[in-house]
Amino acid sequence: MTKQLSDEELTKDLELFQSLVEALPEPRKAKVKAMLETETGLVFLSAPASSRTEFHNCFAGGLLRHSLNVTKFLNRLAKGFNPGKWQDGTLVFVGLFHDLGKSTDGRGSPVYVPNPSDWHREKLGALYELNKDVTVMAIPDRTIFLLQKFGIELSEEEFLAIRLADGQNIRENE
């Protein structure tokens, strides 16, 4: 059975997300809010985090849920290692937007589209497939591309956090 968020869960995720965005320092907050008011924001908030049910959050709104979970984890981790160091919104920003590149190409086209094949959906759990109209690009690269498109500057630490977010799961990070 396919996971689907209830209206209550979606509302709760959106409220938490909005409160975290509101807590970002200016001028970043204004730029993030401007991005979220475009097609990019709409697609980001409704995108799945993955294409297959065997992976995490393969459902509409899954990317938002994943991003919130990463943000919570980063904040817990920071408290354990260096409380007080990350008070500038860096961890919240990186947690929320590290996988922005999984959502859209920045022109309103989603990266993942519903898989038209009943067999792939039912037998393999491949609910989504890559949109053939979207330029092939690594997720971190598309994330950084989208952020710069909206004038959202990154510190060196943020750039590295996004570039290395997939850790050992990608060959170039081995």
Side-chain angles (χ1 to χ4, degrees), residues 58-77:
C58 177
F59 50 84
L63 182 56
L64 177 59
R65 170 70 55 95
H66 166 69
S67 298
L68 291 169
N69 287 336
V70 168
T71 302
K72 289 175 195 173
F73 176 76
L74 286 174
N75 282 311
R76 282 196 308 262
L77 193 63

Side-chain angles (χ1 to χ4, degrees), residues 15-170:
E15 287 172 353
L16 176 57
F17 177 76
Q18 288 172 332
S19 71
L20 291 169
V21 168
E22 283 298 325
L24 293 173
E26 292 291 358
R28 176 171 277 172
K29 175 171 66 171
K31 291 179 179 183
V32 166
K33 288 173 82 172
M35 175 184 71
L36 293 171
E37 291 172 359
T38 69
E39 292 270 343
T40 295
L42 293 173
V43 176
F44 171 74
L45 294 173
S46 62
S50 62
S51 61
R52 300 171 66 110
T53 56
E54 67 192 77
F55 302 138
H56 66 290
N57 298 9
C58 177
F59 50 84
L63 182 56
L64 177 59
R65 170 70 55 95
H66 166 69
S67 298
L68 291 169
N69 287 336
V70 168
T71 302
K72 289 175 195 173
F73 176 76
L74 286 174
N75 282 311
R76 282 196 308 262
L77 193 63
K79 286 177 186 172
F81 283 108
N82 198 348
K85 180 179 183 209
W86 304 102
Q87 299 302 311
D88 62 353
T90 292
L91 292 180
V92 170
F93 175 76
V94 169
L96 291 179
F97 298 108
H98 74 284
D99 273 346
L100 177 64
K102 285 185 174 183
S103 61
T104 181
D105 64 355
R107 296 183 300 262
S109 296
V111 171
Y112 293 126
V113 293
N115 194 328
S117 166
D118 290 340
W119 187 85
H120 283 89
R121 285 192 318 273
E122 294 167 13
K123 299 292 183 194
L124 299 179
L127 304 184
Y128 299 91
E129 64 181 10
L130 290 175
N131 185 344
K132 293 169 183 60
D133 295 331
V134 171
T135 304
V136 175
M137 194 181 300
I139 293 163
D141 293 341
R142 182 177 287 111
T143 296
I144 293 167
F145 169 78
L146 290 170
L147 293 171
Q148 66 81 35
K149 177 180 176 174
F150 290 97
I152 301 169
E153 295 180 16
L154 299 174
S155 69
E156 182 177 6
E157 289 173 326
E158 292 166 338
F159 175 86
L160 288 172
I162 291 168
R163 282 292 297 132
L164 302 173
D166 287 330
Q168 73 279 4
N169 296 325
I170 56 175

